[in-house]
Amino acid sequence: MPKQNPKSPLKRPPSWPNLWFKDKTTLKHVVFKMQLDNNNNNNNASLSPNSKSKQQDFTKTCSRTDLFSLLSDEILLQILSKLPGSLRNPNSLVCKRWLFLLGRLVRSVKLLDWNFLQSGRLISRFPNLTDVDLARACIDSEQTSGILLTHRLISIHLDSDFSSGRFVCDENVLPSVSIDRGLRILAQGCPNLRKLVLISATGEGLSSVAEECPTLQELELHDCTDLSLRGISACRNLQILKLVGAIDGFYSSVISDIGLTILGHGCKRLVKLELSGCEGSYDGISAIGQCCQMLEELTIYDHRMDAGWIAALSFCENLKTLRIIACKKIDPSPGPVEHLGSCPTLERLHLQRCQLRDKQSVKALFLVCSAVKDIVIQDCWGVDSELFSFASVCRRVKLLSLEGCSLLSTDGLESVLLSWVELQRLRVVSCNNIKDGEVTPALSSLFSVLKELTWRPDTRSLLSSSLAGTGVGKKGGRFFKRRTGKGNRSF
């Protein structure tokens, strides 16, 4: 007979004592709690009824005590700093102490009420600010109005009876005395300020900011004049500056060569400069180029400059990026070609929403930017094949981006692309005059060696190819098939 395997003995179910004594740490806590309760019972037995009531009151008081009050401000501040930004505002309503501590964590503020700054509540509420935007607060507008006007630089509320000529009138802007007083309060309370945005500041107010805030690095001035720029000449560490002069419907201030010269002699550490709605000429741009040797990025937005300013770009010896945006003209009279010069370190040229119908100014611009490596032309009027041919003087181009150039043809694009032997990236979007069927074998071979290619020139052909086979876009008589049967008709 085969041997039968003996059955394994059944495991005895664990008893409650074994489970209790398995975790030694838990057992120690239980024993300690039992001893503590026993001592409390013995003490209560020896106490008088009056003593028992006092002890009960003390126990209730301890249960209601805020344990966070035992922590120092530094420790509690470290705990609150770990909270996500979405939870800081709700937690600031817990108590006044939390409100004050969470205010110390705030670094950036957009002020809407100027009285909040002038009364000193902004500094007491947020003592460690480094980024302050005062643009909205400088304009006295009705905050409860249902009309909100948004511009690239500012958003304001309008009344129903605003003037048709200007959205921001002189009487809507705060007086210069109030603005200077608020700037002094801000400068004294926030010595570590790094970024500031404001409107209609005077030289006196900006001087107080420059003296009290030595770490100020970024400044944006709206509706400023030549005289107000004297105040920022003391900002020795200023690196990023945005000047907003005249904007149709908003501001009508004037920044001329005088202000640009003051700016160049005062802020010699500028790295990025944007001139929006500014006047000036060759003298102002040349002063900035000669004095601001560290300038790497220059943005010119809707300029009102006189003729001949393009030739002054050659003084910006370390300029790497040039952006010309929303300009109705580039330079109507750039001067002789031999006097233009060039920017040897320029790497990027961006033209966006500009009027490029003047071929002489565009030719002068490409001559000055002949060393450029990246060219971006977006939604510019007047870019045809003849005008685009001037870009062939730029022999080092590695990236070309064209968008919204509806007058440029395939032949005009090809003639320039074949002259750029270092081209690596190409982007052509919404250039409806460039057709896929007109691409030559030479242009196709160029496309095959590019590192990056985005080719969507004709939006109509792209739409028709994406809808091929779906039946969308066909006429109803050809799309629907009518079938008749015995007494019924189906579609």
Side-chain angles (χ1 to χ4, degrees), residues 9 13 19 36 55 81 123 174 194 201 230 250 284 297 303 331 356 360 362 385 408 431-432 458 469:
L19 294 176
L36 184 62
Q55 187 173 6
S81 63
I123 307 304
L174 294 179
R194 294 181 178 271
R230 294 180 178 179
F250 289 86
E297 182 175 329
H303 74 83
D331 192 340
L356 301 181
Q360 183 181 5
V362 175
S385 299
L408 181 61
C431 300
N432 296 331
D458 190 358

Side-chain angles (χ1 to χ4, degrees), residues 167-179:
F167 300 109
V168 179
C169 301
D170 295 336
E171 56 268 16
N172 297 127
V173 182
L174 294 179
S176 58
V177 178
S178 300
I179 295 178

Side-chain angles (χ1 to χ4, degrees), residues 102-159:
L102 287 172
R104 292 171 58 181
L105 298 175
V106 177
R107 298 292 184 267
S108 177
V109 164
K110 287 186 177 181
L111 189 64
L112 302 180
D113 186 6
W114 190 261
N115 293 327
F116 192 69
L117 168 63
Q118 201 164 354
S119 62
R121 289 177 292 172
L122 177 66
I123 307 304
S124 60
R125 177 73 172 83
F126 309 109
N128 297 325
L129 290 176
T130 59
D131 182 357
V132 180
D133 188 350
L134 304 176
R136 292 279 298 273
C138 293
I139 300 177
D140 187 10
S141 61
E142 186 65 31
Q143 299 294 334
T144 59
S145 174
I147 305 175
L148 179 62
L149 178 63
T150 301
H151 188 264
R152 181 181 67 95
L153 299 173
I154 190 174
S155 298
I156 59 174
H157 289 270
L158 299 178
D159 296 331

